[in-house]
Amino acid sequence: MADLTAALARRFAEKLAAAGLTDPGAAVAACLDDRLAFSRPSPHEELLAGLVDRLGVGCVLLAPPAQPHRTILEFLAGREAPAIRPRDCETRTFFHDIPVIAEPTVEAAAAALSRRKGAYLPGVGILAHGALSPEQAFVTVSSVAFAGFVKFFADFLAASRAGTVDAAYGAAFAAACRNLPPPPTVVPHLARGPFTDRDTMLAAMAQAGRATVELGLVDSVFGNISYNLDGVLAISQTGAALDDLPGAMDLVPLDGSSCAGLTASSELAAHAALAALDGRQAILHGHPRFAVIMSMDCEDLATCPRRERCHVDCARERYAGATPIVPGEVGCGPRGLVHTMPPALAADGGRSGVIVCGHGVFTMGAHDFGDALAALCAIETSCRARYFAALGIPTETP
Amino acid sequence: MEHPTAHILFCDLSAGACRREPLDPELARQAPGGRALAVALLAARPRAVWDAPDAAVVLAPGALAGFDLPGVSFAALAGTNPHTGGVLTVAVPGGLGRALARLHLAAVVVSGRAAAPTALFLDVDGARLLPLGAAAGQGTSAVMASMPAHDGALVAGPAALAGSTLAGLWADGLHPVGPGGAALLLTAKNCFAVAVLAQGEGPVPADPVALAGARAAMERLVAAAPALAGPCGFGRYGTAALLDLTAGRRMLPTRHFRETVFEAAGRLSAPGLFARLSPRAAGCPGCPTPCRHVTANGTVLPDGDAWSHLTALLGLADPDLTVAAYAACRQAGLFAPGAAALLAGRAEAAGRDLAPDALLPALAALVAEGPSVSPSAMAVKGVALPAFDPRGAYGLALSLAVGTSGPDAWGGLCLGHELLRKPVATDRFSFAGKARAVFLGENAAAVAASLGGCPLYGLAVGLEEWALALSAARGEAVGAAELAGLGKRTVLVERTINARAGLGVADDDLPARFFAEPGSSGEGIVVAPLPREEFLAAQAAYYRLRGLDADGRPAAEAAALESPWPI
Ligand SMILES: [Zn+2]
Ligand SMILES: [Zn+2]
């Protein structure tokens, strides 16, 4: 049992590195079954053991973030303590804020983690707990890194427009930019459609999901994908890892004749609405970072009375280049993106993509995922260029 | 601050008198409402058999039930379990909890026995006992119709009058309140209905801005939960939506749990039924995903457990017959899943499926059998298993076995991670980590039941959000960990009541069939018998986490340490 638990801990520590969230070997996972097991020896063992005990959970992850997340989170923690308030929509749905732990004691860390899923301990890393499985903690680490990234760059642009960037922010920004992974350029070839049988279709979806994660256009635990095969929508399940889709897709009849979509992505309704409006078969949804950041850049940000609610009800018609930006929350609520995104993407005979404000991008392909992935990539690349252009930085390495 | 629900009403039906007492502030702090307060009050009383006049039934609104929060209007009903002699707590949906809270009542404690069938009516003028006359024997609709105008009502029917251990209650004429036997707690006192009218607004939160923030967070999470707000979710089809899922996962209890796949499941998909009957949605006050559905002629459509057990468990596949059978159960005040399980057991004993035209007469005959009905063989603590085969989800199997009041599919929140992938998916065919999952899930479910939350919303709303809401209502910071402690204490108090009644490890077990016989494997899914050794190991691990001894009883020190109440 103890060996299995240690293996589980190692698997999740390695998963964090594979996702680029930590440097290889940097993360520590503490998992409890009958006994507590660590993924590796660490000077923080006592802290983690104390947290597992105090929180009564099965797993705690300590993830010293890889660059540029380290620079970003250290800066935000210093500036925003006692808590970092995420600005992107997805993180705001599931997290209230990210507490900054004042000192590396069990007491302080337990106080933060007893009220939130994850927290940041300056100089050490992201701490997250999983009551049910290490998977929960992994999702939290990924969300904290994403939320920090988006907030850091979005706030910097806003501060730059307002002329309030100080020396520390400038230095942190330069350091973060030096550590940015290069923008995706080469889009891999994907299986060509139309797909006519389920197995081929499901394999193509799994391939496209993997490619989207590998290009950095979504973190594996987010995003979703679907394909309309003769009125049956194959769609990734809620919480499915986009780079590990086999076995995690539902087949949902679009005529609503069954409840097979009960476990489907929280955006099933949006995918179905889109399938009804637009004949293209393939839908891809990712969270490319600069597209999300640029969707939150509004010229009215200082004066707009709804500036705290852009992501749910912005009155302006907005674009990033030719790509429309629409408001909308996750899921099917009255302010859900199900009401805004599908008509925008299907407009004008079918657009290449739509950005949901503060959230992510939806794209389509006529019969396969090749065009959908290319469009997702192109939107991110152009948003990234726009971001630096808006700062007056022609090439992004300062 | 002033506690929003600051009084307890003690009603002695023998004397026909009620008195109002302020709630002890220390008790209110430790057990803020709902299930926690109900079992605390119950545990503080001397033990009594369930049908003795000195036995008490407690009805307690959730601590936040008076506020305008989504899915938060529930009360808890607690009393002596007629099946076990231990504790029985049930969630009461609808308007009753909210109305009680808005009358500033933290709990209503009913004892004694009225001379004739009676209803208890509560409004701003106090409590009144209304003679029911012949209405008590005429069906739940007749009882409802005899009530004065109200915001919420809980009624029993002819099955309870006959003394049946299958008798359930109906809330607002919409929601079945089970398990079978729950109605007897009230009707042993000759009380066949409780109705509450509360004019006016809810309590004023200490921090209205923070409460609005908590409400927005809850709404956002509900909207983002496919099983609640999605196009196939409970907000669209009620819990009957689950039948397609249990069928697809090969864990649909079929023919008295002999099979786990029903060949006619495709005919029982909820959307087909809804397309034909075009029902309107109905539900609890302010619920954004109302899960009950009513046809134009007033027929209430079955919930998931009833829909599944009145079809697959009996080998029946006629949707209209099922709707009619459910309507008969509603009028009779029979808890439909338990009644169906009993008939399925009799069909197995007879060696053939129940004939479709025998279903309605058989249900009527069950009512007439009254107290002589023997419990279903597919039961835990005398209560029939709900519509999920335990061989298809191991955490769920453990939670069904250890539930203090009997098997409750939502009691350990395992349906979330094992079937509905919330908050993350876990391996449903493994006991690894499940003891802890059940322990934490039960604690969270007990918190929700103490604050007034819908059990289904456990799929979206967690302790973090409950802490935000309670802090805002009270104006003092409450943390998620503190709330988890409340849930833990509540379950421990229930365990203590059970232990005093002599319940032990043998009562925390599943029927032998699940360990001996496989389910229906196929389509790449192997449904093996539950591994007995691993089940027992998980049960033992669960006991350790709860601080129970090997017989499932609270260790003396643990009880003294963890429970601040006079138990
Ligand atoms: Zn998304
Ligand atoms: Zn705006």
Side-chain angles (χ1 to χ4, degrees):
Chain A
M1 212 62 157
D3 287 352
L4 279 176
T5 315
L8 182 74
R10 276 196 299 277
R11 188 153 68 79
F12 274 89
E14 282 160 18
K15 199 171 158 175
L16 285 168
L21 293 164
T22 66
D23 291 327
V28 191
C31 292
L32 179 70
D33 203 340
D34 271 0
R35 279 186 13 226
L36 190 64
F38 293 92
S39 58
R40 65 169 175 85
S42 154
H44 300 293
E45 272 176 23
E46 215 169 299
L47 174 67
L48 296 180
L51 284 174
V52 167
D53 185 47
R54 286 279 283 274
L55 299 169
V57 295
C59 170
V60 173
L61 291 182
L62 168 59
Q67 291 293 15
H69 299 298
R70 169 171 295 264
T71 301
I72 290 170
L73 288 167
E74 287 293 325
F75 174 79
L76 290 177
R79 189 146 292 199
E80 308 249 334
I84 302 171
R85 290 174 59 88
R87 284 190 59 197
D88 65 291
C89 183
E90 180 111 7
T91 315
R92 279 162 70 154
T93 300
F94 298 100
F95 288 75
H96 305 290
D97 55 34
I98 302 158
V100 177
I101 303 167
E103 50 174 36
T105 61
V106 174
E107 278 67 36
L113 289 174
S114 67
R115 63 185 186 93
R116 295 291 183 262
K117 300 174 183 77
Y120 191 71
L121 178 55
V124 179
I126 302 167
L127 280 165
H129 59 93
L132 292 170
S133 84
E135 180 77 19
Q136 269 174 303
F138 176 81
V139 172
T140 298
V141 171
S142 181
S143 300
V144 168
F146 180 83
F149 188 102
V150 168
K151 180 179 173 64
F152 180 85
F153 283 98
D155 284 0
F156 187 83
L157 179 54
S160 162
R161 288 198 192 281
T164 57
V165 173
D166 56 28
Y169 207 164
F173 180 77
C177 287
R178 276 195 301 277
N179 286 297
L180 277 182
T185 43
V186 184
V187 181
H189 290 291
L190 300 179
R192 296 285 293 270
F195 310 116
T196 52
D197 67 283
R198 284 186 178 175
D199 289 346
T200 315
M201 167 185 71
L202 294 175
M205 290 172 69
Q207 180 197 35
R210 233 176 5 254
T212 310
V213 174
E214 277 163 11
L215 288 174
L217 297 171
V218 73
D219 290 326
S220 81
V221 291
F222 299 111
N224 39 67
I225 184 169
S226 74
Y227 191 86
N228 178 358
L229 177 58
D230 300 328
V232 174
L233 193 74
I235 183 166
S236 49
Q237 292 183 335
T238 182
L242 220 48
D243 54 354
D244 188 16
L245 283 177
M249 293 179 271
D250 283 328
L251 296 167
V252 185
L254 283 167
D255 64 3
S257 59
S258 98
C259 292
L262 198 57
T263 50
S265 159
S266 51
E267 302 307 353
L268 167 63
H271 285 246
L274 197 46
L277 291 176
D278 194 311
R280 289 175 288 179
Q281 287 178 283
I283 303 173
L284 184 59
H285 167 50
H287 293 178
R289 290 157 194 239
F290 282 97
V292 173
I293 291 162
M294 287 311 285
S295 76
M296 294 154 68
D297 173 42
C298 179
E299 286 144 52
D300 290 349
L301 210 55
T303 53
C304 177
R306 306 188 207 187
R307 63 185 173 279
E308 285 301 314
R309 310 189 31 82
C310 292
H311 61 295
V312 285
D313 76 6
C314 178
R316 287 172 56 122
E317 199 172 305
R318 298 175 54 216
Y319 291 87
T323 310
I325 302 169
V326 300
E329 283 184 322
V330 181
C332 299
R335 293 180 296 271
L337 63 89
V338 62
H339 309 292
T340 53
M341 182 277 293
L345 189 44
D348 303 338
R351 285 168 165 153
S352 64
V354 164
I355 306 176
V356 179
C357 184
H359 175 171
V361 177
F362 285 81
T363 61
M364 292 188 90
H367 301 296
D368 57 44
F369 293 95
D371 288 347
L373 183 63
L376 194 64
C377 202
I379 290 170
E380 174 64 353
T381 309
S382 90
C383 283
R384 186 161 166 163
R386 274 165 199 288
Y387 178 84
F388 287 99
L391 291 171
I393 306 173
T395 59
E396 61 179 69
T397 345
Chain B
M1 63 158 274
E2 192 207 357
H3 192 274
T5 52
H7 284 82
I8 300 180
L9 189 72
F10 290 89
C11 294
D12 179 346
L13 298 194
S14 298
C18 298
R19 67 171 205 283
R20 214 175 149 105
E21 278 185 16
L23 171 63
D24 172 56
E26 178 57 18
L27 179 58
R29 220 175 51 77
Q30 298 289 346
R35 181 168 149 191
L37 182 60
V39 299
L41 292 169
L42 201 64
R45 293 178 63 93
R47 270 193 66 206
V49 287
W50 68 271
D51 54 354
D54 58 338
V57 190
V58 186
L59 196 53
L64 296 174
F67 295 98
D68 179 21
L69 291 167
V72 186
S73 71
F74 279 52
L77 178 75
T80 306
N81 192 321
H83 305 285
T84 64
V87 73
L88 180 62
T89 64
V90 300
V92 180
L96 191 87
R98 178 158 294 179
L100 284 172
R102 290 183 176 182
L103 288 179
H104 302 276
L105 287 174
V108 180
V109 180
V110 183
S111 62
R113 181 178 165 87
T118 297
L120 176 61
F121 182 74
L122 303 157
D123 64 9
V124 285
D125 297 326
R128 269 181 289 159
L129 296 176
L130 310 174
L132 266 181
Q138 286 172 4
T140 53
S141 292
V143 178
M144 280 289 281
S146 71
M147 290 293 102
H150 54 263
D151 299 312
L154 194 57
V155 308
L161 186 67
S164 174
T165 50
L166 296 169
L169 293 156
W170 280 80
D172 299 355
L174 281 177
H175 314 271
V177 178
L184 297 182
L185 303 189
L186 281 172
T187 58
K189 323 225 141 292
N190 238 338
C191 177
F192 279 75
V194 180
V196 186
L197 175 67
Q199 282 116 346
E201 297 296 300
V204 178
D207 184 343
V209 175
L211 192 74
R215 180 189 308 123
M218 292 164 106
E219 284 169 348
R220 220 162 43 228
L221 288 164
V222 168
L228 297 173
C232 305
F234 306 152
R236 182 86 171 76
Y237 297 113
T239 48
L242 286 162
L243 190 134
D244 287 330
L245 185 68
T246 54
R249 300 289 187 273
R250 304 184 85 85
M251 56 182 296
L252 173 61
T254 303
R255 298 192 172 86
H256 202 226
F257 293 92
R258 273 173 292 153
E259 297 156 32
T260 59
V261 157
F262 185 39
E263 67 280 359
R267 266 187 275 156
L268 301 172
S269 211
L273 182 72
F274 278 55
R276 278 193 304 112
L277 299 181
S278 311
R280 67 177 169 87
C284 299
C287 179
T289 62
C291 67
R292 309 299 303 150
H293 294 86
V294 186
T295 67
N297 68 12
T299 304
V300 178
L301 296 188
D303 58 279
D305 283 330
W307 180 242
S308 186
H309 277 0
L310 284 169
T311 55
L313 197 71
L314 291 163
L316 296 172
D318 177 349
D320 295 315
L321 174 65
T322 301
V323 170
Y326 189 68
C329 289
R330 175 171 165 241
Q331 282 313 321
L334 269 182
F335 190 64
L342 197 71
L343 296 182
R346 290 180 182 178
E348 180 178 2
R352 58 188 145 73
D353 282 352
L354 189 72
D357 56 8
L359 176 59
L360 294 175
L363 288 170
L366 269 188
V367 177
E369 282 178 45
S372 61
V373 164
S374 56
S376 161
M378 291 294 127
V380 177
K381 299 183 180 76
V383 172
L385 288 163
F388 305 88
D389 195 289
R391 287 164 292 199
Y394 289 11
L396 179 70
L398 177 64
S399 90
L400 294 173
V402 301
T404 47
S405 294
D408 173 0
W410 299 94
L413 300 183
C414 291
L415 288 179
H417 51 93
E418 291 191 319
L419 284 186
L420 297 166
R421 307 179 57 89
K422 288 288 172 188
V424 289
T426 61
D427 179 359
R428 65 189 173 104
F429 292 117
S430 166
F431 277 111
K434 296 297 168 65
R436 182 179 311 279
V438 172
F439 168 70
L440 295 171
E442 282 184 339
N443 293 346
V447 169
S450 300
L451 301 183
C454 168
L456 304 180
Y457 275 22
L459 290 172
V461 175
L463 293 180
E464 267 185 88
E465 291 73 37
W466 283 121
L468 290 177
L470 190 62
S471 303
R474 298 209 152 175
E476 48 191 74
V478 183
E482 223 174 301
L483 281 183
L486 163 71
K488 195 174 154 189
R489 277 200 309 276
T490 303
V491 176
L492 201 68
V493 171
E494 294 173 358
R495 281 260 158 198
T496 305
I497 298 174
N498 278 353
R500 284 200 221 142
L503 275 75
V505 64
D507 298 287
D508 286 336
D509 209 347
L510 293 167
R513 165 165 288 166
F514 299 114
F515 300 100
E517 299 169 21
S520 315
S521 300
E523 293 175 312
I525 302 173
V526 177
V527 188
L530 282 173
R532 182 70 183 165
E533 293 304 313
E534 290 177 36
F535 170 83
L536 292 175
Q539 187 197 49
Y542 169 84
Y543 282 2
R544 280 196 297 278
L545 286 163
R546 277 250 170 267
L548 308 173
D549 66 16
D551 198 27
R553 297 151 184 268
E557 316 89 296
L561 208 72
E562 294 282 348
S563 174
W565 305 310
I567 55 174

